[in-house]
Amino acid sequence: FKNHPRLLERAYKATLAVFAKSYPLMKRVSPRLAERVVTQGEALAKGYLFNCQMCGQCILHSTGMTCPMNCPKNLRNGPCGGVRANGHCEVIPERMCIWVQAWQRSQSMTIYVNEIEHIQPPVNRTLQGSASWVNMFDGTDIKTPKGWQPLDEARKTEGRGR
């Protein structure tokens, strides 16, 4: 499945639509149970398909359906400077760089093909082990760690200080 990002992105989009309709009802009936079911389902499905690390801020659709948290350095915005000439990881030389895979896979996507070019905020480590679908629905996933400022906001701030 991993090497079929176009199929996976369609499955992602369908899952998003189903989740958006079903989660509010599940949450109304039993919030704690709803979160537990989603978390366990996400861990099982995404763990199998993507070796998901349950960071709580999933960006699979932005990275060619390749989990960037599998990078030994946990890089979320592209490769480090140590990618070998053959595209392999500097830390685990027998393994292809996660970001080389992400780029290659993103290029065969049709819906989220340009998402890989977006700068991602740092991982909020307090969300580790939680369901990214729940965090996305509740808006928790977009809360950034204290002190982080998106590039466009930083540029605006710089302009004011001159």
Side-chain angles (χ1 to χ4, degrees):
F1 277 116
K2 289 181 184 182
N3 290 319
H4 300 286
R6 190 173 296 161
L7 173 68
L8 290 170
E9 79 175 323
R10 285 184 171 83
Y12 170 85
K13 192 142 175 110
T15 304
L16 181 59
V18 169
F19 182 80
K21 290 183 177 166
S22 62
Y23 182 67
L25 176 62
M26 291 169 50
K27 190 175 177 181
R28 226 176 296 128
V29 172
S30 178
R32 182 173 269 160
L33 179 62
E35 187 167 340
R36 196 171 345 155
V37 166
V38 173
T39 302
Q40 290 174 355
E42 190 171 307
L44 184 66
K46 287 171 42 181
Y48 173 74
L49 289 171
F50 308 105
N51 195 23
C52 174
Q53 302 300 304
M54 293 298 288
C55 71
Q57 293 177 293
C58 187
I59 58 169
L60 281 168
H61 67 287
S62 299
T63 56
M65 304 309 281
T66 305
C67 180
M69 300 311 292
N70 287 304
C71 168
K73 296 180 180 183
N74 286 169
L75 299 177
R76 285 178 66 94
N77 283 300
C80 68
V83 177
R84 297 170 185 264
N86 65 357
H88 285 231
C89 174
E90 84 171 328
V91 177
I92 307 171
E94 57 277 357
R95 184 167 109 185
M96 181 67 80
C97 169
I98 294 298
W99 282 98
V100 170
Q101 290 177 336
W103 177 260
Q104 290 170 344
R105 291 174 180 165
S106 73
Q107 298 311 294
S108 66
M109 294 171 69
T110 55
I111 302 168
Y112 301 104
V113 63
N114 295 320
E115 292 283 318
I116 198 163
E117 296 173 9
H118 297 177
I119 303 277
Q120 300 295 329
V123 176
N124 183 342
R125 298 283 180 191
T126 63
L127 298 177
Q128 183 72 38
S130 64
S132 62
W133 287 97
V134 171
N135 296 337
M136 180 177 59
F137 184 83
D138 293 340
T140 309
D141 67 331
I142 59 172
K143 293 178 183 164
T144 57
K146 191 173 184 165
W148 188 79
Q149 190 176 25
L151 186 59
D152 56 341
E153 287 181 29
R155 286 185 177 144
K156 288 177 191 173
T157 305
E158 279 180 13
R160 280 189 240 145
R162 290 184 183 166

